[in-house]
Amino acid sequence: MRYVAARQAEMKRRQDGTSFVDQLIVHIKAGKGGDGCVAFNREKYVPYGPPSGGNGGRGGDVYIQAVHGLSSLGGVANRIRAEDGSHGRGAWRHGSDGKPTIIRVPVGTVVRELRDPKHRMPTPEEVEVQRLRDLGIEESEQQKAERERDQKWVHYPTWEESNIKRNDFRAADAAIKREEMTQKRLKAAEKKRIGSLVFDLDEPHPPTSSEPGALVARGGLGGFGNPFFLSTETRSPKWATRGNLGDWVTLRLELKILADVGLVGLPNAGKSTLLRALTNSKTEVASYAFTTLNPQIGTVRVWQDGTTSIKEGRVIEESQIERDREHDALLKGTYAFGRPSKPQGDAPVLHDRAHETLRFKIADNPGLIGGAAENRGLGHFFLKSVERAPVLVYVVDLSAPEPWKDLQTVRDELEAYQPGLSAKARMVLANKADALQSDTEAEVEESRAKLAKLKEEAISMWNKGPNVEGRSLEVVAASAKYTQNLAKVVKLLGAYVKEARAAEVAGVGSRG
């Protein structure tokens, strides 16, 4: 039953033909090194020239890079393989290195390496053992040694049997094996010391960096050409080594939306309408619950003269009504000679970014229901998306019978998911406060009583904790649909964002 519900939620999230992916398991294979070459120099008067085989190229590395402009992990493939290095050739021509593969992910992606056999990709040794087991082949120690030798060496045509019997080849084989064992021990010790890979890509990759990103899988080294084995005793080595395999790793990518302010509340509390009113974004607005199934982000801008990006006095219509109005205008030919260059009514004041004093992002997150901490509804998907926001705003419906109970439900789910998360809350926004200006005295008194009760319960809830000393939980009544009292909301949010950014800078400075 839970699986069916999860599938239905996933299908709803892929509405309008979009596919939002916030977590993904990726199997990565770095490039294999190219094989060394067995060749000898041949010239007109030099029939028996020296060995001239080139070394193999190094396999391509795999990097991960956070970039602006991406909002989903949907563009990342489940299986990624870097380019192999090319083989060496005669006339001392070395193979070219494989090109690095760069995985581009949104800013705010957390990368974790999976080493659990249930999730990770099998190693090359495990793949070979399973292949032999499926074929019903039981190898002796000698057969295993011969198979490993065949996988390691390249022989001059028709010279393999002769090479195997030579003492200098056996010495070279033993030396390569010792080197491989040393490299394996060093690699295992490094993995034990460092542990699993963990990257928190909360900042975009700097364009001036010499590296293309964070290295997650290193390509294999190329094989040696036959000149490498030239010595005073071995004047004509007729063997070379094959390239090494690159790293095979399995990563879990998890996207946590980065925003300065996160809106949290029950479904149909008006979060999407509030986001549109504050930021002029195009998020979906409708009168039914769970309108927002994927996190939406908008930007608030404040200029030096105190004006903001809010268009005061406008009414935020439902998205379907706007689409119908647009459709009717197209049918009537309203835009036959182009769309109007200026919006209807008073033209907004144009501002220069140079006079902008503050800019911050607000995230409208999917609605939360009771039991979300146990992954009901959109559950953990919703809660993970608000985990990083330094400022949280509770959005409650003041027209509901008991909005303070809605507030308590949201707060309890945040605490059940992550203790202390509710301490990030700075404001309770009592949305749909239209009745405070109603023509009916009874509706006005009822709304005032609800607002007073909500303030009382919010103070009590904050005092019980968890909370931050010196802070309070502000309760502000507003109407997102009719853009009422939003200037005060922006002013308070701007102060909270500045405080959070200053605390972050101070924390980085103390750690440095």
Side-chain angles (χ1 to χ4, degrees):
M1 189 68 180
R2 180 170 294 183
Y3 172 77
V4 174
R7 290 287 297 171
Q8 290 175 344
E10 181 64 24
M11 291 178 67
K12 283 185 178 181
R13 284 172 54 191
R14 298 189 179 190
Q15 59 188 359
D16 298 332
T18 60
S19 177
F20 181 87
V21 179
D22 68 315
Q23 56 183 347
L24 184 69
I25 293 179
V26 184
H27 302 291
I28 298 173
K29 291 182 180 180
K32 178 182 178 295
D35 297 343
C37 176
V38 184
F40 295 91
N41 190 43
R42 295 290 184 263
E43 297 179 12
K44 186 173 182 179
Y45 299 107
V46 186
Y48 300 102
S52 62
N55 298 332
R58 190 172 174 274
D61 299 327
V62 180
Y63 296 87
I64 191 164
Q65 180 187 109
V67 296
H68 276 311
L70 296 178
S71 59
S72 170
L73 297 172
V76 180
N78 292 320
R79 296 182 180 273
I80 295 174
R81 180 166 184 172
E83 186 180 80
D84 294 339
S86 59
H87 303 316
R89 291 178 292 174
W92 297 280
R93 289 175 293 178
H94 301 309
S96 59
D97 295 342
K99 294 180 181 179
T101 298
I102 301 175
I103 307 171
R104 292 178 172 84
V105 297
V107 175
T109 301
V110 178
V111 182
R112 293 186 177 89
E113 182 184 3
L114 298 180
R115 294 187 178 180
D116 186 353
K118 294 181 180 179
H119 300 101
R120 69 168 173 81
M121 187 168 42
T123 63
E125 293 81 4
E126 293 171 343
V127 170
E128 184 63 24
V129 169
Q130 185 61 43
R131 183 185 71 84
L132 295 173
R133 186 179 298 143
D134 293 341
L135 294 174
I137 299 174
E138 293 186 6
E139 281 187 314
S140 63
E141 289 298 324
Q142 182 179 356
Q143 290 174 328
K144 182 179 179 181
E146 291 177 355
R147 175 173 58 82
E148 292 177 350
R149 184 186 63 211
D150 293 341
Q151 293 174 347
K152 187 61 188 173
W153 293 96
V154 178
H155 298 275
Y156 198 71
T158 72
W159 279 81
E160 181 175 355
E161 292 185 6
S162 176
N163 287 341
I164 294 172
K165 298 175 182 178
R166 295 180 56 154
N167 292 330
D168 48 1
F169 173 79
R170 292 176 181 175
D173 187 30
I176 292 293
K177 283 183 178 178
R178 286 195 300 270
E179 180 62 23
E180 287 182 343
M181 293 301 296
T182 301
Q183 292 298 325
K184 283 185 179 180
R185 284 196 298 269
L186 292 174
K187 203 169 187 179
E190 183 181 14
K191 280 194 172 184
K192 186 177 180 180
R193 179 177 59 85
I194 297 176
S196 299
L197 292 175
V198 178
F199 297 113
D200 196 349
L201 304 175
D202 54 358
E203 293 183 359
H205 180 70
T208 56
S209 175
S210 59
E211 294 292 332
L215 180 66
V216 294
R218 194 182 301 276
L221 296 176
F224 296 117
N226 62 332
F228 179 81
F229 302 97
L230 182 65
S231 65
T232 54
E233 292 81 16
T234 307
R235 304 305 302 166
S236 179
K238 294 181 175 59
W239 57 82
T241 58
R242 298 187 185 277
N244 296 330
L245 292 172
D247 294 338
W248 291 17
V249 296
T250 300
L251 301 178
R252 179 190 293 276
L253 308 182
E254 183 177 323
L255 175 61
K256 294 185 178 180
I257 303 300
L258 288 176
D260 299 291
V261 179
L263 305 179
V264 294
L266 297 183
N268 212 21
K271 300 184 298 299
S272 300
T273 307
L274 179 63
L275 184 70
R276 290 193 69 170
L278 292 174
T279 67
N280 301 319
S281 68
K282 296 298 182 182
T283 183
E284 184 77 10
V285 174
S287 58
Y288 53 84
F290 289 108
T291 306
T292 301
L293 297 173
N294 298 316
Q296 305 291 327
I297 291 184
T299 303
V300 176
R301 302 173 67 185
V302 182
W303 286 275
Q304 192 172 13
D305 58 4
T307 56
T308 67
S309 52
I310 300 174
K311 297 179 180 178
E312 295 283 354
R314 68 169 179 154
V315 178
I316 308 298
E317 299 283 5
E318 294 185 16
S319 300
Q320 187 59 49
I321 295 176
E322 292 184 350
R323 285 193 289 266
D324 292 342
R325 185 182 298 133
E326 182 77 6
H327 181 67
D328 291 341
L330 291 173
L331 291 179
K332 293 177 181 178
T334 305
Y335 305 135
F337 298 99
R339 294 177 180 269
S341 58
K342 294 183 179 180
Q344 300 296 325
D346 295 333
V349 179
L350 298 179
H351 292 275
D352 188 353
R353 282 195 62 181
H355 298 98
E356 185 179 299
T357 59
L358 180 64
R359 175 182 292 209
F360 59 91
K361 293 182 178 180
I362 300 179
D364 169 25
N365 298 285
L368 180 148
I369 63 174
E374 285 77 39
N375 210 19
R376 294 179 183 174
L378 294 179
H380 291 169
F381 167 70
F382 160 84
L383 292 164
K384 283 186 291 186
S385 66
V386 302
E387 195 175 338
R388 279 197 171 190
V391 177
L392 296 181
V393 174
Y394 295 119
V395 181
V396 297
D397 182 359
L398 190 61
S399 65
E402 296 176 316
W404 49 89
K405 289 189 176 180
D406 297 344
L407 174 63
Q408 188 68 45
T409 298
V410 176
R411 181 261 179 200
D412 291 345
E413 291 304 325
L414 292 180
E415 283 301 307
Y417 174 71
Q418 185 182 107
L421 185 59
S422 65
K424 292 183 177 182
R426 303 298 304 271
M427 179 191 294
V428 177
L429 195 149
N431 194 20
K432 304 183 183 180
D434 318 344
L436 289 172
Q437 298 181 358
S438 174
D439 296 333
T440 307
E441 187 66 25
E443 291 184 0
V444 174
E445 289 300 323
E446 181 184 1
S447 297
R448 286 177 178 173
K450 284 183 182 180
L451 184 59
K453 176 71 171 178
L454 179 62
K455 289 181 179 179
E456 180 184 340
E457 292 294 331
I459 293 172
S460 174
M461 183 185 72
W462 180 259
N463 291 335
K464 289 179 182 178
N467 54 38
V468 178
E469 187 176 354
R471 289 185 185 174
S472 61
L473 192 60
E474 189 81 20
V475 179
V476 180
S479 173
K481 181 174 182 179
Y482 297 102
T483 59
Q484 296 173 350
N485 205 29
L486 295 186
K488 180 180 179 180
V489 173
V490 171
K491 183 178 179 180
L492 290 172
L493 291 180
Y496 300 151
V497 170
K498 288 180 180 179
E499 183 182 332
R501 290 176 179 175
E504 182 180 0
V505 171
V508 172
S510 63
R511 289 194 297 271

